[in-house]
Amino acid sequence: MTDMMTYPDVVNLAVPFFIAAILIELTWIAVKGRGGRYETRDAVTSLVMGAGSVASGILLGFIAWGFFMVLWQITPLDLGTSWWVVLLCFVLDDLRYYWVHRFGHRIRWVWASHVNHHSSQHYNLTTALRQTWSGTFTFMMVMRAPLILLGFHPAMVLFAGGLNLIYQFWIHTEAIGKLPRWVEAVMNTPSHHRAHHGRNPRYLDCNYAGVFIIWDRMFGTFVPEIESDKVDYGLVHNLGTFNPLRVAFHEWIGMLRDMTQPGLTLRERVKYAVLPPGYSHDGSRQTSEQIKEDHLRANPKDRGTPGFS
Amino acid sequence: MPLHILGPMVVIGVIGVAILLHLMGLSKRLRFDESTARAAWLRHFPDASVRTVHVAPDGHAALIHSTDGPGIVWAMGADSAARFVQGARPEQRPDRLVLHFRDIGTPTIRLAVPAALQDDWLKEIGPL
């Protein structure tokens, strides 16, 4: 069994490309006068979140790596390093990403980590870098366990995950409209991912794909970007701070406060961690389903249209 | 990539983008008039209809009386944020009115309301 295997750390290697692409997008917007918006503090917050995410990976990455190597010692399977194994690993890791991302929106414990990525009211290439600092604490590393137990080497699995993240960088833009039909049918595109970042009732909890949008089509979470319902970026309740520490940890603290408030049953405390964002024991908040229902009461003509079926 | 290359590249990249954006005039804060403040509030709380709007003298915030209670909409860079003010702790400073919240995502709202107008604003806001 191959214990030592190395792949390039593609995310770190892509940093110069990220910076160059941001400058190109900014120039494009300035010259054309369309294709997105930039604002200084928002962009700086996103970039600092990105830098913090890389730092967090360097500091805490050993936890996931240790877990993966234990699994690698246990499994009797080793698929080797053929190109088709790498390709298969990439596709299956994208399926893994779909479910981790879906859990990231539907389980508050995981949302506490992912929320910062949605906290910008802008949608440009810096938004792509607004990544979590606390992913390790979601324990979503367990979602990679099946791949390793199936015989994909941990280094290959992380390599595939890095490529997945790099793919998702370029789709965080308003500068690219809709792509040819076959591309929109198979791949995650700027249009599909714009919808994912929408706080409009229609777009809540849709388009979880990383690279291949087919997962959303297969599992019933696909909603196309609709011209008549322009995407409004950000959170249902937008943050009142640009402080990266607050952006990174506000939901964790909010969740822990909810879980530890006096007078709750144990079941209610657990529900604050495992049910979707918006759950409250007294019904004082709204989940995305309730927000959609409210919208349909006010706009019955939207019933049955994408995002409301 | 070695850390001694990655670290400086990231720091220089962030600072460079920040300076560039600022020089391009992209640090301007959103300004409200009565109509845009109303629209911004409804963007955040579509179900809480607006009764009255008081725009702060600098135009960067507004006090909203809605059907669900009083709230503030204020500029977050080029965009806006909004929240109801119930539970806030007001602090009066010579040049501004500060509302403190027990909310890690919105710890304070600083309103450029001069001392002479602060009592009027607090009266408008009502009991907190």
mmCIF file of all heavy atoms in Angstrom, chain A residues 96-106 110 114 117-118 140 168 193 196 206-210:
data_model
loop_
_atom_site.group_PDB
_atom_site.id
_atom_site.type_symbol
_atom_site.label_atom_id
_atom_site.label_comp_id
_atom_site.label_asym_id
_atom_site.label_seq_id
_atom_site.Cartn_x
_atom_site.Cartn_y
_atom_site.Cartn_z
ATOM 1 N N ARG A 96 -19.125 14.360 -3.178
ATOM 2 C CA ARG A 96 -18.898 14.589 -1.742
ATOM 3 C C ARG A 96 -19.090 16.076 -1.424
ATOM 4 O O ARG A 96 -19.753 16.443 -0.450
ATOM 5 C CB ARG A 96 -17.470 14.140 -1.405
ATOM 6 C CG ARG A 96 -17.023 14.187 0.027
ATOM 7 C CD ARG A 96 -16.466 15.498 0.523
ATOM 8 N NE ARG A 96 -15.539 16.163 -0.389
ATOM 9 C CZ ARG A 96 -15.131 17.412 -0.238
ATOM 10 N NH1 ARG A 96 -15.555 18.139 0.772
ATOM 11 N NH2 ARG A 96 -14.315 17.976 -1.119
ATOM 12 N N TYR A 97 -18.544 16.943 -2.286
ATOM 13 C CA TYR A 97 -18.662 18.385 -2.055
ATOM 14 C C TYR A 97 -20.135 18.810 -2.057
ATOM 15 O O TYR A 97 -20.560 19.614 -1.224
ATOM 16 C CB TYR A 97 -17.891 19.182 -3.125
ATOM 17 C CG TYR A 97 -18.051 20.655 -2.911
ATOM 18 C CD1 TYR A 97 -17.225 21.345 -2.039
ATOM 19 C CD2 TYR A 97 -19.106 21.362 -3.512
ATOM 20 C CE1 TYR A 97 -17.421 22.695 -1.778
ATOM 21 C CE2 TYR A 97 -19.311 22.704 -3.256
ATOM 22 C CZ TYR A 97 -18.462 23.354 -2.389
ATOM 23 O OH TYR A 97 -18.671 24.688 -2.119
ATOM 24 N N TYR A 98 -20.898 18.274 -3.011
ATOM 25 C CA TYR A 98 -22.321 18.633 -3.084
ATOM 26 C C TYR A 98 -22.994 18.409 -1.741
ATOM 27 O O TYR A 98 -23.703 19.281 -1.243
ATOM 28 C CB TYR A 98 -23.030 17.811 -4.176
ATOM 29 C CG TYR A 98 -24.542 17.965 -4.127
ATOM 30 C CD1 TYR A 98 -25.177 18.987 -4.811
ATOM 31 C CD2 TYR A 98 -25.320 17.105 -3.341
ATOM 32 C CE1 TYR A 98 -26.555 19.152 -4.732
ATOM 33 C CE2 TYR A 98 -26.699 17.259 -3.261
ATOM 34 C CZ TYR A 98 -27.311 18.282 -3.962
ATOM 35 O OH TYR A 98 -28.668 18.452 -3.859
ATOM 36 N N TRP A 99 -22.760 17.235 -1.135
ATOM 37 C CA TRP A 99 -23.460 16.913 0.114
ATOM 38 C C TRP A 99 -22.919 17.710 1.298
ATOM 39 O O TRP A 99 -23.685 18.155 2.156
ATOM 40 C CB TRP A 99 -23.406 15.401 0.375
ATOM 41 C CG TRP A 99 -24.439 14.708 -0.477
ATOM 42 C CD1 TRP A 99 -24.210 13.987 -1.607
ATOM 43 C CD2 TRP A 99 -25.864 14.749 -0.308
ATOM 44 N NE1 TRP A 99 -25.404 13.561 -2.154
ATOM 45 C CE2 TRP A 99 -26.435 14.007 -1.375
ATOM 46 C CE3 TRP A 99 -26.714 15.337 0.617
ATOM 47 C CZ2 TRP A 99 -27.810 13.852 -1.529
ATOM 48 C CZ3 TRP A 99 -28.092 15.172 0.477
ATOM 49 C CH2 TRP A 99 -28.627 14.438 -0.580
ATOM 50 N N VAL A 100 -21.603 17.914 1.321
ATOM 51 C CA VAL A 100 -21.055 18.752 2.400
ATOM 52 C C VAL A 100 -21.640 20.164 2.310
ATOM 53 O O VAL A 100 -22.034 20.765 3.318
ATOM 54 C CB VAL A 100 -19.511 18.804 2.323
ATOM 55 C CG1 VAL A 100 -18.947 19.885 3.231
ATOM 56 C CG2 VAL A 100 -18.918 17.457 2.691
ATOM 57 N N HIS A 101 -21.733 20.652 1.088
ATOM 58 C CA HIS A 101 -22.258 22.002 0.875
ATOM 59 C C HIS A 101 -23.741 22.069 1.243
ATOM 60 O O HIS A 101 -24.199 23.032 1.854
ATOM 61 C CB HIS A 101 -22.033 22.398 -0.593
ATOM 62 C CG HIS A 101 -22.211 23.862 -0.861
ATOM 63 N ND1 HIS A 101 -22.255 24.381 -2.123
ATOM 64 C CD2 HIS A 101 -22.359 24.928 -0.028
ATOM 65 C CE1 HIS A 101 -22.420 25.693 -2.057
ATOM 66 N NE2 HIS A 101 -22.490 26.051 -0.789
ATOM 67 N N ARG A 102 -24.461 21.019 0.884
ATOM 68 C CA ARG A 102 -25.891 20.983 1.225
ATOM 69 C C ARG A 102 -26.067 20.943 2.747
ATOM 70 O O ARG A 102 -26.906 21.666 3.301
ATOM 71 C CB ARG A 102 -26.538 19.761 0.561
ATOM 72 C CG ARG A 102 -28.047 19.723 0.709
ATOM 73 C CD ARG A 102 -28.671 18.763 -0.287
ATOM 74 N NE ARG A 102 -30.087 18.588 -0.009
ATOM 75 C CZ ARG A 102 -30.920 17.902 -0.781
ATOM 76 N NH1 ARG A 102 -30.468 17.319 -1.882
ATOM 77 N NH2 ARG A 102 -32.197 17.786 -0.469
ATOM 78 N N PHE A 103 -25.260 20.111 3.399
ATOM 79 C CA PHE A 103 -25.308 20.099 4.868
ATOM 80 C C PHE A 103 -24.925 21.475 5.412
ATOM 81 O O PHE A 103 -25.457 21.923 6.438
ATOM 82 C CB PHE A 103 -24.346 19.048 5.441
ATOM 83 C CG PHE A 103 -24.735 17.632 5.140
ATOM 84 C CD1 PHE A 103 -23.778 16.614 5.159
ATOM 85 C CD2 PHE A 103 -26.042 17.294 4.859
ATOM 86 C CE1 PHE A 103 -24.131 15.307 4.879
ATOM 87 C CE2 PHE A 103 -26.411 15.981 4.576
ATOM 88 C CZ PHE A 103 -25.444 14.988 4.587
ATOM 89 N N GLY A 104 -24.008 22.143 4.705
ATOM 90 C CA GLY A 104 -23.559 23.472 5.141
ATOM 91 C C GLY A 104 -24.667 24.502 5.155
ATOM 92 O O GLY A 104 -24.558 25.527 5.821
ATOM 93 N N HIS A 105 -25.727 24.236 4.393
ATOM 94 C CA HIS A 105 -26.859 25.173 4.385
ATOM 95 C C HIS A 105 -28.035 24.659 5.203
ATOM 96 O O HIS A 105 -28.948 25.424 5.498
ATOM 97 C CB HIS A 105 -27.317 25.422 2.946
ATOM 98 C CG HIS A 105 -26.425 26.374 2.215
ATOM 99 N ND1 HIS A 105 -26.715 27.703 2.049
ATOM 100 C CD2 HIS A 105 -25.210 26.190 1.637
ATOM 101 C CE1 HIS A 105 -25.735 28.300 1.387
ATOM 102 N NE2 HIS A 105 -24.809 27.394 1.120
ATOM 103 N N ARG A 106 -28.038 23.378 5.531
ATOM 104 C CA ARG A 106 -29.221 22.783 6.157
ATOM 105 C C ARG A 106 -28.984 22.328 7.594
ATOM 106 O O ARG A 106 -29.910 21.896 8.265
ATOM 107 C CB ARG A 106 -29.699 21.596 5.313
ATOM 108 C CG ARG A 106 -30.078 21.956 3.868
ATOM 109 C CD ARG A 106 -31.230 22.932 3.795
ATOM 110 N NE ARG A 106 -32.447 22.332 4.329
ATOM 111 C CZ ARG A 106 -33.524 23.022 4.697
ATOM 112 N NH1 ARG A 106 -33.534 24.340 4.612
ATOM 113 N NH2 ARG A 106 -34.577 22.397 5.167
ATOM 114 N N VAL A 110 -22.954 23.251 10.735
ATOM 115 C CA VAL A 110 -22.084 23.367 9.563
ATOM 116 C C VAL A 110 -22.232 24.757 8.940
ATOM 117 O O VAL A 110 -21.263 25.348 8.458
ATOM 118 C CB VAL A 110 -22.385 22.239 8.549
ATOM 119 C CG1 VAL A 110 -21.301 22.176 7.487
ATOM 120 C CG2 VAL A 110 -22.486 20.887 9.254
ATOM 121 N N HIS A 114 -19.881 27.884 7.314
ATOM 122 C CA HIS A 114 -20.005 28.264 5.899
ATOM 123 C C HIS A 114 -20.599 29.659 5.702
ATOM 124 O O HIS A 114 -20.406 30.286 4.656
ATOM 125 C CB HIS A 114 -20.876 27.222 5.189
ATOM 126 C CG HIS A 114 -21.032 27.447 3.713
ATOM 127 N ND1 HIS A 114 -19.967 27.497 2.834
ATOM 128 C CD2 HIS A 114 -22.145 27.649 2.948
ATOM 129 C CE1 HIS A 114 -20.412 27.708 1.603
ATOM 130 N NE2 HIS A 114 -21.728 27.812 1.649
ATOM 131 N N HIS A 117 -19.001 32.727 3.931
ATOM 132 C CA HIS A 117 -18.848 32.778 2.474
ATOM 133 C C HIS A 117 -20.023 33.518 1.815
ATOM 134 O O HIS A 117 -19.900 34.046 0.714
ATOM 135 C CB HIS A 117 -18.732 31.364 1.905
ATOM 136 C CG HIS A 117 -18.563 31.326 0.421
ATOM 137 N ND1 HIS A 117 -17.486 31.886 -0.229
ATOM 138 C CD2 HIS A 117 -19.357 30.815 -0.561
ATOM 139 C CE1 HIS A 117 -17.619 31.720 -1.535
ATOM 140 N NE2 HIS A 117 -18.746 31.076 -1.763
ATOM 141 N N HIS A 118 -21.158 33.541 2.513
ATOM 142 C CA HIS A 118 -22.351 34.200 1.962
ATOM 143 C C HIS A 118 -22.572 35.587 2.546
ATOM 144 O O HIS A 118 -23.598 36.210 2.277
ATOM 145 C CB HIS A 118 -23.587 33.324 2.218
ATOM 146 C CG HIS A 118 -23.606 32.102 1.352
ATOM 147 N ND1 HIS A 118 -24.209 32.079 0.117
ATOM 148 C CD2 HIS A 118 -23.057 30.878 1.527
ATOM 149 C CE1 HIS A 118 -24.044 30.880 -0.429
ATOM 150 N NE2 HIS A 118 -23.344 30.135 0.415
ATOM 151 N N MET A 140 -16.832 17.782 9.019
ATOM 152 C CA MET A 140 -17.274 17.306 7.703
ATOM 153 C C MET A 140 -16.167 16.509 6.989
ATOM 154 O O MET A 140 -16.379 15.980 5.904
ATOM 155 C CB MET A 140 -17.733 18.484 6.837
ATOM 156 C CG MET A 140 -19.114 18.996 7.184
ATOM 157 S SD MET A 140 -20.422 17.807 6.809
ATOM 158 C CE MET A 140 -20.937 17.320 8.419
ATOM 159 N N GLN A 168 -14.128 26.604 -8.573
ATOM 160 C CA GLN A 168 -15.221 27.460 -8.096
ATOM 161 C C GLN A 168 -14.842 28.935 -8.021
ATOM 162 O O GLN A 168 -15.713 29.789 -7.857
ATOM 163 C CB GLN A 168 -15.690 26.976 -6.727
ATOM 164 C CG GLN A 168 -16.382 25.634 -6.792
ATOM 165 C CD GLN A 168 -16.993 25.277 -5.465
ATOM 166 O OE1 GLN A 168 -17.724 26.053 -4.869
ATOM 167 N NE2 GLN A 168 -16.667 24.098 -4.963
ATOM 168 N N HIS A 193 -24.256 29.742 -9.968
ATOM 169 C CA HIS A 193 -23.742 30.039 -8.630
ATOM 170 C C HIS A 193 -24.205 31.410 -8.133
ATOM 171 O O HIS A 193 -24.312 31.624 -6.928
ATOM 172 C CB HIS A 193 -22.211 29.931 -8.615
ATOM 173 C CG HIS A 193 -21.679 29.616 -7.249
ATOM 174 N ND1 HIS A 193 -22.029 28.485 -6.544
ATOM 175 C CD2 HIS A 193 -20.853 30.314 -6.415
ATOM 176 C CE1 HIS A 193 -21.428 28.483 -5.373
ATOM 177 N NE2 HIS A 193 -20.722 29.589 -5.260
ATOM 178 N N HIS A 196 -27.196 30.644 -6.346
ATOM 179 C CA HIS A 196 -26.885 30.054 -5.040
ATOM 180 C C HIS A 196 -26.602 31.131 -3.985
ATOM 181 O O HIS A 196 -26.893 30.949 -2.810
ATOM 182 C CB HIS A 196 -25.685 29.112 -5.164
ATOM 183 C CG HIS A 196 -25.202 28.600 -3.847
ATOM 184 N ND1 HIS A 196 -25.924 27.697 -3.094
ATOM 185 C CD2 HIS A 196 -24.096 28.891 -3.110
ATOM 186 C CE1 HIS A 196 -25.265 27.448 -1.971
ATOM 187 N NE2 HIS A 196 -24.165 28.161 -1.960
ATOM 188 N N CYS A 206 -30.439 26.489 -2.857
ATOM 189 C CA CYS A 206 -30.401 25.857 -4.185
ATOM 190 C C CYS A 206 -28.964 25.811 -4.694
ATOM 191 O O CYS A 206 -28.084 26.475 -4.146
ATOM 192 C CB CYS A 206 -31.289 26.617 -5.175
ATOM 193 S SG CYS A 206 -30.598 28.177 -5.754
ATOM 194 N N ASN A 207 -28.745 25.009 -5.725
ATOM 195 C CA ASN A 207 -27.473 24.977 -6.473
ATOM 196 C C ASN A 207 -26.255 24.811 -5.568
ATOM 197 O O ASN A 207 -25.405 25.697 -5.464
ATOM 198 C CB ASN A 207 -27.334 26.245 -7.333
ATOM 199 C CG ASN A 207 -28.445 26.367 -8.355
ATOM 200 O OD1 ASN A 207 -29.375 25.552 -8.378
ATOM 201 N ND2 ASN A 207 -28.380 27.373 -9.196
ATOM 202 N N TYR A 208 -26.176 23.635 -4.944
ATOM 203 C CA TYR A 208 -25.062 23.355 -4.034
ATOM 204 C C TYR A 208 -23.823 22.830 -4.762
ATOM 205 O O TYR A 208 -22.814 22.543 -4.128
ATOM 206 C CB TYR A 208 -25.487 22.296 -3.010
ATOM 207 C CG TYR A 208 -26.659 22.697 -2.137
ATOM 208 C CD1 TYR A 208 -27.876 22.016 -2.213
ATOM 209 C CD2 TYR A 208 -26.540 23.723 -1.221
ATOM 210 C CE1 TYR A 208 -28.943 22.362 -1.402
ATOM 211 C CE2 TYR A 208 -27.607 24.077 -0.405
ATOM 212 C CZ TYR A 208 -28.807 23.394 -0.506
ATOM 213 O OH TYR A 208 -29.850 23.730 0.297
ATOM 214 N N ALA A 209 -23.900 22.679 -6.062
ATOM 215 C CA ALA A 209 -22.822 22.027 -6.799
ATOM 216 C C ALA A 209 -21.495 22.739 -6.641
ATOM 217 O O ALA A 209 -21.437 23.952 -6.402
ATOM 218 C CB ALA A 209 -23.183 21.977 -8.280
ATOM 219 N N GLY A 210 -20.424 21.958 -6.792
ATOM 220 C CA GLY A 210 -19.087 22.528 -6.874
ATOM 221 C C GLY A 210 -18.699 22.709 -8.327
ATOM 222 O O GLY A 210 -18.625 23.822 -8.839
#
